Amino acid sequence: MRRLILPLAALAMVSACKKEAAPVAAESEAAAAAEAPIMPAVAANARTTLKYAGTYNQTNVDGKVSTLKLGADDSYEWTDADGKIVTGIFSWYKDGSTIMLDAAGGKGVYAIADGAIYKIADKDAPRTGFTADQMWSRPATPGM
């Protein structure tokens, strides 16, 4: 009998510890999710459903800002953090939500969301799970 009681007591203690740890882990995950920036989803067909034309900013790790202006006429103007300006034309992929800048823009590929664009590796890159360093967002409009 004594041999049975000790293992059962140890098992009960381990089980109680695991039950107490679960709420703490859940609270930590909830806090991390609350701190994570909200990343707008890429539109199903941004070309026809969104007002994508406009200026998008990206703040670099050094605090400098780069801008990318997309025109409704498929033109762009990219200003890097040091003030160098590159202009050109972008092309739409068949999905209507992905664009590629011309050679002057390094053939950069971007996915378009409502109020944001994301720099992606290529046209086949996933359209979810973006990080803040991929996102270019529209500046807040005063009075809105």
Side-chain angles (χ1 to χ4, degrees):
M1 180 79 167
R2 190 174 188 179
R3 286 184 182 172
L4 183 60
I5 293 175
L6 287 176
L8 287 176
L11 183 60
M13 288 174 44
V14 169
S15 178
C17 290
K18 286 183 180 179
K19 288 180 183 175
E20 290 178 17
V24 173
E27 289 172 11
S28 296
E29 289 173 11
E35 292 176 12
I38 297 172
M39 307 302 252
V42 173
N45 187 334
R47 188 174 194 178
T48 61
T49 61
L50 297 178
K51 293 182 180 180
Y52 63 86
T55 302
Y56 298 85
N57 295 332
Q58 183 182 50
T59 304
N60 303 320
V61 289
D62 61 3
K64 293 182 178 181
V65 177
S66 298
T67 61
L68 180 59
K69 293 180 187 176
L70 299 180
D73 61 352
D74 297 348
S75 65
Y76 73 88
E77 178 180 291
W78 181 62
T79 306
D80 71 14
D82 296 323
K84 178 183 173 191
I85 298 173
V86 175
T87 60
I89 302 295
F90 63 87
S91 303
W92 288 95
Y93 284 97
K94 289 181 185 178
D95 67 1
S97 293
T98 310
I99 62 170
M100 181 176 72
L101 306 184
D102 61 11
K107 296 193 175 187
V109 179
Y110 295 85
I112 300 177
D114 189 11
I117 57 175
Y118 302 102
K119 175 82 167 112
I120 56 177
D122 58 47
K123 69 177 181 67
D124 298 319
R127 300 302 192 275
T128 59
F130 295 110
T131 60
D133 64 329
Q134 290 176 283
M135 186 170 85
W136 296 62
S137 59
R138 287 194 173 165
T141 305
M144 300 218 55

